[in-house]
Amino acid sequence: MDSAILEQVAREAGADSGVEPERLGPFLAEVLLIAQSGDRLSSAQLERLSWEGDKAAREGIALPRLLDLYLSALWRLFATYHTSADSDSSREWRGVPSDRHRAESSWNVPMTLLRAGDDAAAAIAEGFAAAQQRSLQFDAAGRRELFEDLLAGSHDPHLLAERANSFGFNLAASHHVLVAETQRDHFDSGPLPTRVESLLRSEFGVTDGLVATKNGRLVLVLPGQIGPMETRLAEFIAAESHSDDAVVGAGSTHPGVLGVRQSYEEAIEAVEIAGIAGLSAHFGGSASTRLVLFSSLVPQRLLRSNPLLSAELVSTVLGPLNAARNSGDHLMETLAALASSGGNISAAARQLHVSPRAVSYRVQRIVELTSYSPLEPEGRFVLELARQCALLERQSRGGAVGT
C-alpha cells in the first residue's frame, strides 16, 4: 500500500481525535505487515506503544483522545484496505494468488486488525497509567515537603509561594489552620485525611486546601475565614475517628506564607488548652464538636503567660478548698460542674450524681472558705479563673505538649 495512503489515514485520524498524527509513528505500517502474516504485535512494538502512552501523560494529552487517534486510524486503514481488496494491485501487494485465499484473507485481516487494536490500546493505557502513578507519587512527596516547610516557617516566603502555586495554592491570600487531636494517631496514608479531602471537595467545593498529618494529629490549611464549614469538619472528624473526646483547634486567619505558620501555632495552643481545661461551649468551643477557637482563649493565654501570678491566684483562692478536710475534692468537682452547667444547681447535681441539696451545701462551704460564691457573676469569674490556673499549673508540672 502506498505510503501516501498511510499518511492520509493518519492525517484524518489526527483531525478526528484532535491529536497530532505524528504520535502514531510506524504503527500503521507495522499493522499492515502483521495483517499479511496474521502475527501479533511484537513485545518491542508493544513497548514502544507503552512509551507513547507514558509520553502523552507527561505532556498532558488525555488518554481517551490518544486512544481515539489509534483506533480511528485502525478503522480507516481497514476501510481503505477493504475498498481496494478487489483490485489487482491490492492482490499483488497482499500476495493472494487465488479467490480461495482471498476469502480466507477477508476473514483473517479484520480479526488481525482488531487484535492489534486491542493489544495497542492495552499497551498505551498501561504506559499512561504508569506515568500518572509516578506523577501522583511525585506530587504527594512535593505536597508533603511544601506542608512541612509551611509549618516550619523557616524558608524563603517567595520561594514557598512559587512552589505552592505549582500545586494550585494561592498563599498570597489569607488562610487559617485546623489541628485535630483524637484518641488515635493519624498518618498521611490513613483513611481520615483522604475522607476529609473528599468532604472538602464534594460538600464545600474547596480544592485549594492542604490536608496532612503531623505528630499524629490531623492538620488542615484552609483558605478564607472561619465559618460553618469548620464546625462541620470538626463533627466529621470526630465521627470518622470514632473519638468521643476529639478536639479541633482553630487558629486565626492570617495573610501570606508566614501567616500559615502563625495560625498553625495558634491551633496547636488551642488544642493544648482545650485538652487541659476541658473546654466546651462556654469557652468558645462546641460541646458536641469540640471546635475551639484560638481567638476565644484570651483568658487562658494570659494565665499561661504569667505563671507566677497564676500560682498566686491558685494559692489564694483555692488553697482553703484544697486544705478542707475530707471535702476538698468534692468541692473542686462541684466548682467544675457548676462552671460547665452555667451555675445551674440542678444540672450540676445531675452531672455529679448527687441531690441538688448536696450541691447547695457544697456551695455554702465554698463561700465560707473562699468568700466567693460560684452562683454570683463576680465570684464565679474569680473561682473559675483560679480553677483554670490550677489546670494550667498542673500541665506545666507535667510538661507541655510539643508542636
Side-chain angles (χ1 to χ4, degrees), residues 144 186-194 211-213:
R144 181 69 209 184
H186 299 283
F187 306 94
D188 287 356
S189 57
L192 187 58
T194 302
V211 180
T213 60

Side-chain angles (χ1 to χ4, degrees), residues 93-389:
W93 172 81
R94 288 187 287 114
V96 181
S98 67
D99 290 341
R100 181 175 62 83
H101 289 141
R102 287 180 58 194
E104 292 176 355
S105 179
S106 66
W107 169 254
N108 290 335
V109 168
M111 292 300 294
T112 302
L113 292 179
L114 284 173
R115 188 169 58 187
D118 182 58
D119 291 345
I124 290 169
E126 182 180 0
F128 194 94
Q132 280 194 321
Q133 183 63 30
R134 289 198 309 274
S135 177
L136 287 173
Q137 292 172 348
F138 177 79
D139 285 351
R143 285 166 65 97
R144 181 69 209 184
E145 185 179 359
L146 173 65
F147 173 80
E148 291 287 352
D149 291 344
L150 278 174
L151 299 191
S154 58
H155 290 69
D156 186 298
H158 298 292
L159 293 178
L160 274 179
E162 289 179 5
R163 286 167 54 197
N165 284 335
S166 67
F167 290 102
F169 303 121
N170 178 20
L171 290 180
S174 295
H175 292 77
H176 61 278
V177 177
L178 301 184
V179 173
E181 184 169 85
T182 68
Q183 293 172 334
R184 65 188 69 181
D185 287 346
H186 299 283
F187 306 94
D188 287 356
S189 57
L192 187 58
T194 302
R195 291 171 185 166
V196 169
E197 281 189 327
S198 178
L199 177 73
L200 284 170
R201 288 193 301 269
S202 62
E203 193 164 320
F204 301 102
V206 175
T207 58
D208 54 347
L210 270 175
V211 180
T213 60
K214 188 171 179 65
N215 298 333
R217 293 163 168 161
L218 185 68
V219 181
L220 290 77
V221 181
L222 301 172
Q225 301 294 322
I226 297 173
M229 178 178 74
E230 284 66 26
T231 300
R232 170 74 176 104
L233 285 168
E235 293 173 348
F236 182 81
I237 290 167
E240 289 293 316
S241 61
H242 308 288
S243 181
D244 295 332
D245 60 352
V247 177
V248 180
S252 300
T253 302
H254 301 287
V257 174
L258 298 180
V260 173
R261 168 65 183 180
Q262 182 177 350
S263 186
Y264 171 67
E265 291 177 340
E266 293 171 353
I268 285 289
E269 188 170 359
V271 167
E272 291 177 354
I273 293 176
I276 297 162
L279 302 184
S280 59
H282 63 291
F283 276 126
S286 165
S288 60
T289 66
R290 303 293 289 172
L291 178 66
V292 181
L293 309 180
F294 176 79
S295 59
S296 67
L297 301 177
V298 175
Q300 289 73 27
R301 288 155 49 200
L302 283 173
L303 295 176
R304 291 184 107 193
S305 66
N306 196 330
L308 292 179
L309 186 59
S310 296
E312 182 181 343
L313 183 62
V314 171
S315 175
T316 302
V317 177
L318 300 184
L321 298 183
N322 291 322
R325 179 178 294 182
N326 299 326
S327 61
D329 290 344
H330 289 161
L331 296 179
M332 293 298 295
E333 290 173 357
T334 302
L335 277 181
L338 286 168
S340 64
S341 63
N344 186 300
I345 288 181
S346 297
R350 288 193 296 272
Q351 185 176 332
L352 294 168
H353 305 290
V354 299
S355 68
R357 188 167 186 170
V359 174
S360 296
Y361 171 75
R362 294 179 186 180
V363 168
Q364 184 179 349
R365 284 288 293 154
I366 290 170
V367 174
E368 291 173 356
L369 293 169
T370 66
S371 300
Y372 294 107
S373 171
L375 303 182
E376 297 176 359
E378 182 182 354
R380 186 186 307 150
F381 170 76
V382 173
L383 288 166
E384 181 59 17
L385 197 61
R387 193 179 74 86
Q388 293 293 325
C389 282

